Amino acid sequence: MSPGFLPAVAGQGAAAAVQLLVTLSFLPSLVMTQVTGVLDDCLCDVDSIDNFNNYKIFPKLKKLQERDYFRYYKVNLKRPCPFWAEDGHCSIKDCHVEPCPESKIPVGIKAGHSNKYLQAANNTKELEDCEQANKLGAINSTLSNETKEAFIDWARYDDSQDHFCELDDERSPAAQYVDLLLNPERYTGYKGSSAWRVWNSIYEENCFKPRSVYRPLNPLAPSRGKDDGESFYTWLEGLCLEKRVFYKLISGLHASINLHLCANYLLEETWGKPSWGPNIKEFKRRFDPVETKGEGPRRLKNLYFLYLIELRALSKVAPYFERSIVDLYTGNLEEDADTKTLLLSIFQDTKSFPMHFDEKSMFAGDKKGAKSLKEEFRLHFKNISRIMDCVGCDKCRLWGKLQTQGLGTALKILFSEKEIQKLPENSPSKGFQLTRQEIVALLNAFGRLSTSIRELQNFKALLQHKRWQWIMGLLERLLSVWK
């Protein structure tokens, strides 16, 4: 053995050891820099939301979404784009949405009035086939005049100025029921100029910003010279709370959708059988602090902010569903009772959360100015709901419309506090009500956010595991050198 051999080996080992120690020292920060700490514009921290969501409310939401009342969503996927000529629908097979056959829809859902979840509206005999079931859509002649008038008021209310979304006409022949469990939100391959145009229109034309202020889109977007987007965030901080909130809601929705695609990605296809699962590489491209130049963690914080907004809406609307008159009707009375019990349990959990967003801080200034700003806020969001009809992939359009309508319903709830407080216990409300579509969208949209936060924890664990594998490999190389 030559005299210089041992020092050389020692030198190599020392260098590897230093590299290992550096890696170990950075491991916690690499894993946790995705998002942590207290959120802006509220007094809630990320860890509290993680614990509440992942261990308390996520399992219940998952069960609720499997119930018949919440799994069937009626949607029109054939409405034309109102803003530009469509460049054709996605031809990728995973973009396809399979509508639900009439025979699979519970009688109480397919035949009911859009508000058919009240006991007063269910005072009819059981009907045996689809043809007879259509009669359930009419007002029962045995109902009192007061209740009939309430139904008429509901119809007027649905056409009022309180909606934050462009709602589909459920009576349209193009509107079809979709089983959400059989058409899960996942990566379809839809991307490119069509998808880019949708998000660009949402951000550039509807997020209260002048075109002169550059806002970084996704990490894969073309950059604008040396501008890293910091000037946008400096500008954003100078806006009023309401306009900052609007941007964060849209950014959080975008982040949530991207997380769903990363978590349910087409990994491989063997003998015609696709395999779906988490794609770490795609997740890092969209959210890693280094690869996104700090943009990814900002978006994830906005996801948590959006979660707080919808969580707050659920806690505020609980009294609406706690009334005995409200019955989530599908025609299966035993299942309907169980569904309502589960829903009320979820509402109890939402009310127990100690760090809710304070919606009273919004639109709280000069009454005239606040009213004008609220209307502008509503119209901007309604415009975004209309842009969902420009999405070229049917499956992406389905979930975009549902999640947008869910958020729009949450905003409607937050700004209807006085009407909710005045709800009568045993008769229909003339001041505030929700259609079945709004209820289904509200709970499924929040379920998507809950899933996003759960998947985020999964990705953190996967990244940590991957880094430990790399470190163990480095240790093995180090030991082989010392031998």
Side-chain angles (χ1 to χ4, degrees):
M1 183 180 293
S2 65
F5 179 73
L6 286 176
V9 170
Q12 292 174 11
V18 169
Q19 186 178 5
L20 176 60
L21 289 171
V22 169
T23 302
L24 285 170
S25 66
F26 276 100
L27 178 64
S29 61
L30 285 170
V31 174
M32 299 309 296
T33 48
Q34 294 296 335
V35 58
T36 188
V38 177
L39 301 175
D40 296 332
D41 292 322
C42 57
L43 299 175
C44 186
D45 64 281
V46 167
D47 288 342
S48 295
I49 297 175
D50 284 339
N51 291 329
F52 172 78
N53 179 74
N54 297 340
Y55 302 110
K56 193 167 191 177
I57 205 167
F58 172 76
K60 292 182 181 179
L61 280 168
K62 194 169 183 299
K63 288 182 180 179
L64 187 76
Q65 290 171 289
E66 294 171 355
R67 297 280 181 170
D68 280 354
Y69 188 89
F70 289 98
R71 68 183 288 182
Y72 297 108
Y73 180 65
K74 197 168 190 180
V75 62
N76 184 355
L77 297 175
K78 297 179 181 179
R79 284 177 56 168
C81 172
F83 300 108
W84 57 77
E86 292 185 76
D87 46 8
H89 281 282
C90 175
S91 58
I92 303 171
K93 65 178 182 179
D94 293 314
C95 284
H96 177 66
V97 169
E98 190 65 42
C100 196
E102 278 285 317
S103 58
K104 298 291 184 181
I105 307 295
V107 170
I109 291 177
K110 69 184 174 184
H113 187 274
S114 61
N115 296 300
K116 191 167 182 53
Y117 54 87
L118 298 179
Q119 291 177 359
N122 296 331
N123 189 19
T124 56
K125 294 180 180 180
E126 290 291 333
L127 299 177
E128 297 178 355
D129 55 49
C130 297
E131 207 172 301
Q132 287 178 306
N134 287 329
K135 297 176 184 177
L136 284 172
I139 296 176
N140 190 315
S141 60
T142 63
L143 297 180
S144 67
N145 289 331
E146 181 183 355
T147 304
K148 290 179 185 177
E149 289 174 5
F151 281 124
I152 295 170
D153 285 336
W154 287 355
R156 291 199 195 103
Y157 184 85
D158 284 343
D159 296 327
S160 73
Q161 297 299 306
D162 288 339
H163 282 296
F164 283 77
C165 286
E166 186 78 19
L167 303 178
D168 285 346
D169 181 2
E170 295 181 51
R171 296 165 297 182
S172 168
Q176 294 179 298
Y177 281 103
V178 173
D179 186 336
L180 298 175
L181 298 183
L182 297 182
N183 293 275
E185 184 182 22
R186 59 192 180 193
Y187 181 77
T188 64
Y190 174 65
K191 55 186 177 181
S193 58
S194 177
W196 172 260
R197 192 176 191 180
V198 169
W199 283 114
N200 191 61
S201 177
I202 287 172
Y203 282 116
E204 296 298 322
E205 297 172 19
N206 293 281
C207 276
F208 296 101
K209 64 174 287 295
R211 290 183 178 274
S212 59
V213 178
Y214 166 57
R215 188 206 70 80
L217 284 169
N218 67 57
L220 311 179
S223 65
R224 297 190 182 182
K226 297 181 179 179
D227 189 348
D228 59 1
E230 288 302 317
S231 59
F232 168 76
Y233 292 103
T234 301
W235 171 83
L236 184 67
E237 289 171 6
L239 288 181
C240 65
L241 171 64
E242 292 80 5
K243 293 183 179 181
R244 289 200 308 272
V245 165
F246 191 96
Y247 169 75
K248 289 178 181 181
L249 296 182
I250 302 307
S251 175
L253 178 61
H254 194 178
S256 182
I257 290 172
N258 280 336
L259 254 172
H260 304 155
L261 306 187
C262 295
N264 213 352
Y265 202 93
L266 180 59
L267 302 177
E268 59 179 317
E269 190 163 359
T270 307
W271 301 104
K273 293 185 177 180
S275 172
W276 303 87
N279 186 321
I280 296 177
K281 183 178 179 181
E282 189 66 25
F283 175 81
K284 290 182 68 176
R285 290 196 339 151
R286 294 177 185 270
F287 297 111
D288 183 83
V290 177
E291 293 196 30
T292 64
K293 299 179 181 179
E295 177 71 8
R298 277 181 168 133
R299 288 194 167 176
L300 292 175
K301 275 201 168 186
N302 291 336
L303 160 64
Y304 280 88
F305 185 82
L306 173 58
Y307 181 94
L308 279 182
I309 292 290
E310 295 200 13
L311 179 69
R312 179 60 168 166
L314 290 180
S315 71
K316 301 292 283 188
V317 82
Y320 182 81
F321 291 92
E322 289 168 350
R323 297 176 301 158
S324 59
I325 193 174
V326 175
D327 180 28
L328 304 177
Y329 182 69
T330 66
N332 184 330
L333 298 183
E334 184 177 351
E335 180 175 320
D336 293 347
D338 289 342
T339 300
K340 184 172 180 180
T341 299
L342 179 57
L343 181 62
L344 294 183
S345 174
I346 290 172
F347 284 137
Q348 283 301 114
D349 289 340
T350 64
K351 289 193 289 186
S352 72
F353 187 73
M355 292 173 281
H356 276 293
F357 175 78
D358 182 11
E359 74 283 356
K360 292 179 182 177
S361 60
M362 295 178 63
F363 308 109
D366 167 65
K367 285 189 176 181
K368 186 176 180 181
K371 184 178 180 181
S372 175
L373 181 59
K374 180 181 175 181
E375 180 63 9
E376 192 178 4
F377 190 102
R378 186 185 71 83
L379 291 176
H380 275 241
F381 192 83
K382 193 168 186 177
N383 216 36
I384 289 174
S385 74
R386 298 176 70 201
I387 293 174
M388 290 299 119
D389 284 318
C390 299
V391 176
C393 164
D394 278 351
K395 188 165 288 183
C396 307
R397 182 183 289 207
L398 163 67
W399 286 101
K401 286 168 76 79
L402 181 143
Q403 290 171 85
T404 304
Q405 185 178 3
L407 175 52
T409 304
L411 294 172
K412 169 181 168 179
I413 292 166
L414 289 180
F415 301 136
S416 302
E417 182 176 14
K418 291 181 180 178
E419 289 80 3
I420 295 175
Q421 289 175 346
K422 296 177 183 177
L423 289 170
E425 171 61 32
N426 298 311
S427 62
S429 165
K430 293 186 179 182
F432 176 87
Q433 63 89 17
L434 295 173
T435 67
R436 179 184 170 274
Q437 291 300 93
E438 287 176 310
I439 296 170
V440 173
L442 176 68
L443 271 300
N444 274 284
F446 185 67
R448 293 278 74 205
L449 296 178
S450 178
T451 300
S452 292
I453 290 175
R454 183 70 181 84
E455 293 292 357
L456 182 55
Q457 304 314 304
N458 289 341
F459 274 113
K460 285 181 180 180
L462 288 170
L463 286 168
Q464 190 170 20
H465 178 69
K466 188 174 182 180
R467 289 189 178 100
W468 275 114
Q469 284 183 320
W470 183 85
I471 289 171
M472 294 306 295
L474 183 61
L475 269 173
E476 288 177 3
R477 292 195 297 274
L478 176 60
L479 290 173
S480 68
V481 170
W482 278 103
K483 287 179 181 179

